[in-house]
Amino acid sequence: MKIVIIGAGEVGFHIASHLSRENKEVVIVDDNAEAIRRVSDHIDVQTIIGRGGSPAILEQAGVREAEIMLAVTNSDETNLVACMVTHILSPSTKKLARIRGGDYDQYHEAFCRNPPNIDTVINPEMEVVKTIEHLMSVPGATDVGEFAGGRVKFIGVRLDETTPIVGARLSDLPGRIPGHRPLIFCIIRNERLIVPSGKDRLTAGDLIYFITEDKDLEASLRIFDKHAEPIRRVLIIGGGRIALRLALRLEEKSVHTKIIEQRSDRCSILAEKLNRSVVLCGDGSDQALLREENIQDSDVVITLTDDEETNILASLLAKQLGARKTITKISKFSYFPLMHTIGIDQVVDPRLSAINTILQHIRRGKVLSSVSIRGEDAEIMEAVALETTDIVGKPLMDITFPKGVLITTILRGEEVIIPTGQSVVAPNDRIIIFARREAIPKVEKILSVKLEYF
């Protein structure tokens, strides 16, 4: 697979890094020589210095031979032009574009039907708002995602010393938990990702990931001593575009919302665009202001400024002053391992939200959605089991899967199956697969061709 990426910023850099580790042919284009130098120094991909909307540069990048052209510069207009020129040069090349401006929201479908003929429009701000809503819906979780239109959820929770099942082997859980049991498919311990077997014990401090039907969510959370609680009051620190989108969504749900923003001109814009939210002009890390606004009554404090150090400080301060829960916007992967150590569990990253959306459209086979786990260590993806693959028609125990791969769920019509070794995947079943990063290229082959090499 050949992929041309326009834009060597954070999203372009990390997508290129992700794909190069999977031995895909990647060409990355940017008119910033410093950004291109950074890519060349760290990633084994072809680089070109030039404007991504230039026909000559796109020709040089080999867009005619590319299966995918991904436009992720910081300029919406450049991304639109790159898609339009690519369509002229190579109509068969699939075009994905990151479009962030709110002015374009209502035109996304038009961009797909008409020139620039984009196949997929990605708005990371919309995606991160969805992520925040998922996290708010399960207050005890550090990570939340969903598949099959929300019927199946995967949840990440941190185990405390008081969690009843701490110390138990996974093979012991059937005797400890009668009836419904969620499938634990991943354990993060001391920042090391483990695909568990029945012999593995659960220990305090583990971040465990499990999968469950939505209807069983509350029962599953109780097993881990976590509880879903309604969200009635939200305080947002930072009044940028993500904050505005989130506040509009919360207004639709009749959630009492306050926004603290330092820039007076931005406060005026927020007050004009919001109907019921309270907009406060001030410093979100000011203890006196937070106390004055009764932060201890907030169900969730969400820090969304453009400065991640400010977000971290404000979240820690909010917890110290009595907020039940915080969600912190972070954009540096290197910070992620530190968050639990300093007392922050729920983190959102707009870049990672964009990467997740992009990956599902790049994966081979009929991949419907894909979500990264712990930055880029692993993925969990939903796909259609094609009749032409060896994954169908035989018990899972008889299939030799690559190391670090686990089928967590089979969706057959309205039926949700948590599989055992005897389970059989039927043609056109939807399956949810967890895979470590290094196993993903083999998973793509599983989803698209016969497994003759196993």
Side-chain angles (χ1 to χ4, degrees):
M1 178 183 285
K2 180 172 183 176
I3 300 169
V4 174
I5 300 174
I6 309 300
E10 290 301 315
V11 170
F13 179 90
H14 283 281
I15 283 288
S17 174
H18 203 109
L19 297 175
S20 70
R21 287 195 296 263
E22 299 172 13
N23 298 317
K24 291 182 172 62
E25 183 183 355
V26 178
V27 182
I28 190 163
V29 176
D30 201 295
D31 59 4
N32 185 317
E34 203 55 47
I36 288 294
R37 188 175 301 112
R38 179 193 177 208
V39 172
S40 298
D41 289 346
H42 292 90
I43 312 173
D44 184 18
V45 297
Q46 182 184 345
T47 58
I48 296 174
I49 300 175
R51 293 182 298 107
S54 161
I57 292 294
L58 287 168
E59 290 270 23
Q60 184 184 343
V63 77
R64 292 184 189 272
E65 297 79 45
E67 290 186 41
I68 294 170
M69 191 285 297
L70 174 61
V72 290
T73 74
N74 289 325
S75 165
D76 291 344
E77 290 72 23
T78 298
N79 296 339
L80 289 168
V81 170
C83 288
M84 183 169 62
V85 175
T86 295
H87 186 70
I88 293 169
L89 296 176
S90 180
S92 63
T93 298
K94 188 175 182 179
K95 298 167 288 298
L96 286 72
R98 181 174 67 164
I99 308 293
R100 296 186 295 180
D103 293 345
Y104 291 119
D105 286 357
Q106 61 182 312
Y107 299 103
H108 287 185
E109 289 187 13
F111 289 153
C112 296
R113 292 195 307 267
N114 311 291
N117 298 97
I118 303 172
D119 293 279
T120 303
V121 174
I122 297 149
N123 187 317
E125 294 173 3
M126 289 182 176
E127 297 303 323
V128 83
V129 167
K130 290 178 189 174
T131 302
I132 292 170
E133 289 184 294
H134 289 328
L135 289 172
M136 288 172 61
S137 69
V138 190
T142 64
D143 204 355
V144 180
E146 60 180 37
F147 296 104
R151 285 192 297 139
V152 175
K153 283 184 164 55
F154 74 86
I155 310 290
V157 295
R158 185 79 61 176
L159 301 184
D160 304 318
E161 291 183 3
T162 57
T163 306
I165 59 173
V166 161
R169 287 191 178 93
L170 293 188
S171 58
D172 297 335
L173 294 185
R176 299 271 298 263
I177 308 169
H180 164 76
R181 290 185 310 280
L183 173 66
I184 298 173
F185 63 86
C186 175
I187 299 173
I188 309 293
R189 181 177 297 154
N190 299 322
E191 297 310 317
R192 188 169 67 90
L193 187 147
I194 301 167
V195 181
S197 68
K199 296 181 289 186
D200 285 293
R201 286 188 185 274
L202 299 173
T203 64
D206 284 352
L207 172 58
I208 64 104
Y209 282 84
F210 67 87
I211 200 153
T212 182
E213 286 190 71
D214 183 59
K215 66 181 180 63
D216 296 323
L217 177 59
E218 289 194 24
S220 297
L221 289 172
R222 283 196 296 272
I223 292 169
F224 304 103
D225 202 24
K226 307 295 180 183
H227 308 279
E229 299 174 7
I231 302 295
R232 298 186 178 90
R233 293 178 175 273
V234 173
L235 174 65
I236 301 172
I237 297 175
R241 295 190 303 195
I242 294 174
L244 175 58
R245 289 181 186 275
L246 177 61
L248 289 168
R249 290 284 297 153
L250 294 175
E251 284 189 346
E252 291 174 11
K253 298 178 179 181
S254 299
V255 175
H256 185 271
T257 305
K258 292 180 182 179
I259 301 179
I260 299 177
E261 166 57 44
Q262 206 160 14
R263 298 164 296 170
S264 58
D265 56 338
R266 184 61 184 172
C267 287
S268 299
I269 294 171
L270 291 169
E272 181 183 334
K273 296 193 177 224
L274 295 167
N275 296 319
R276 295 186 295 277
S277 302
V278 176
V279 180
L280 305 166
C281 202
D283 182 355
S285 59
D286 183 341
Q287 291 190 49
L289 175 59
L290 295 177
R291 284 197 178 98
E292 185 181 326
E293 294 305 321
N294 300 313
I295 192 170
Q296 71 277 4
D297 296 333
S298 298
D299 297 317
V300 185
V301 174
I302 306 168
T303 55
L304 297 174
T305 77
D306 291 330
D307 183 87
E308 42 212 307
E309 285 78 13
T310 298
N311 292 339
I312 292 169
L313 176 62
S315 290
L316 292 173
L317 185 57
K319 291 188 77 170
Q320 185 182 19
L321 294 176
R324 280 174 41 200
K325 168 182 173 176
T326 61
I327 299 174
T328 311
K329 180 169 79 95
I330 301 292
S331 297
K332 291 181 182 175
F333 282 165
S334 59
Y335 281 8
F336 277 43
L338 304 173
M339 293 299 98
H340 175 63
T341 305
I342 65 174
I344 293 176
D345 274 330
Q346 292 200 311
V347 172
V348 292
D349 179 0
R351 187 185 65 224
L352 186 56
S353 295
I355 289 170
N356 286 336
T357 306
I358 290 165
L359 286 175
Q360 76 185 61
H361 295 287
I362 288 177
R363 293 281 169 244
R364 290 189 184 275
K366 295 189 70 174
V367 175
L368 305 177
S369 58
S370 176
V371 180
S372 293
I373 299 287
R374 298 295 293 172
E376 298 174 305
D377 288 342
E379 284 182 37
I380 180 166
M381 58 188 81
E382 179 184 1
V384 177
L386 301 175
E387 188 174 5
T388 55
T389 67
D390 279 351
I391 201 172
V392 303
K394 64 178 71 171
L396 295 180
M397 62 190 297
D398 293 340
I399 301 173
T400 305
F401 287 102
K403 186 178 179 181
V405 175
L406 181 67
I407 292 186
T408 68
T409 316
I410 299 170
L411 302 158
R412 185 170 297 148
E414 295 301 311
E415 185 182 9
V416 177
I417 303 166
I418 303 297
T420 66
Q422 287 77 37
S423 299
V424 176
V425 176
N428 297 315
D429 280 352
R430 288 159 73 176
I431 53 176
I432 299 174
I433 301 178
F434 172 76
R436 297 181 70 103
R437 181 180 65 201
E438 57 270 20
I440 289 170
K442 291 182 179 179
V443 171
E444 290 186 294
K445 292 181 180 179
I446 288 173
L447 297 174
S448 56
V449 298
K450 288 280 187 184
L451 305 182
E452 293 171 357
Y453 60 92
F454 282 134

